[in-house]
Amino acid sequence: MPGLVDLEAVSSLVKASPLPINVMAGPGAPSIAELAAAGVRRVSVGTAISQAAYSVARRAAAELLSSGTYTELEGALDFGNLNSIFTR
């Protein structure tokens, strides 16, 4: 159920449905544990992770163009960590 994150409403839907209920969550949504306790079977974030990555890229590019600095790039994974993700 995209956008339905009110725990009371989700719990009511879970109780009324013979099918498993999946929730698309994001910022401001209850935690996965809270949704699971309400009976939700699967939680998805849809495209939110890629949207967040593009947001960082946009902020970093704007910073490079406007001030020539690199603070938006702080905290990025180094190549060793990135490469290890794909070799598991």
Side-chain angles (χ1 to χ4, degrees), residues 1-6 10 13-14 21-26 29-30 35 40-46:
M1 299 305 297
L4 179 61
V5 293
D6 176 78
V10 169
L13 184 61
V14 166
I21 298 299
N22 304 322
V23 171
M24 185 179 294
L35 290 167
V40 170
R41 293 283 296 273
R42 184 175 69 102
V43 178
S44 172
V45 293

Side-chain angles (χ1 to χ4, degrees), residues 1-2 4 7 19 25 33 48 53-54 58 61 72 77 80 86:
M1 299 305 297
L4 179 61
L7 280 176
L19 301 172
Y54 282 118
R58 180 180 182 184
E72 284 293 336
L77 291 173
F86 297 103

